[in-house]
Amino acid sequence: MFSFLTPAQRATLSANLAARGVDEAQFEQAQRLAKEMGEQLARAYGDVLGRAVEPLDFVRDVLGVEMAGRLLVCALREVTGRPDLYRDAF
């Protein structure tokens, strides 16, 4: 999900998550869960349209960057059991 980040950006993200008590294993688990959610949403959207929709196309064209991030935040909440880390960050 975050393969487009540079090594420095990934390190910063990991440090920021660690500061909020999220370890690497939890982050990886949350990424997998967010991916599964995105795939399920893409399938449901495709069913409504009557054609297959690729998850990446759904995320890019329908959710956009902000909502794709929200999927990950929801997944982090499920994995960690902690309140909304996105809202807590601001």
Side-chain angles (χ1 to χ4, degrees):
M1 183 172 221
F2 292 96
S3 59
F4 58 87
L5 295 177
T6 67
Q9 290 170 323
R10 286 188 73 73
T12 299
L13 177 61
S14 292
N16 287 338
L17 288 171
R20 290 178 174 75
V22 178
D23 64 37
E24 189 67 31
Q26 289 173 316
F27 183 58
E28 288 174 9
Q29 184 180 358
Q31 285 185 93
R32 284 191 303 275
L33 181 57
K35 182 178 185 253
E36 291 171 14
M37 288 190 290
E39 290 168 349
Q40 290 175 2
L41 287 169
R43 273 193 302 278
Y45 183 67
D47 289 347
V48 170
L49 294 178
R51 63 179 173 82
V53 175
E54 291 296 319
L56 184 58
D57 294 334
F58 176 77
V59 168
R60 184 188 61 236
D61 299 341
V62 177
L63 293 183
V65 173
E66 180 70 19
M67 286 308 296
R70 287 297 291 167
L71 273 182
L72 180 60
V73 169
C74 290
L76 276 168
R77 181 175 45 234
E78 290 300 314
V79 168
T80 65
R82 295 187 52 219
D84 193 331
L85 294 166
Y86 182 83
R87 186 173 41 239
D88 293 348
F90 297 100

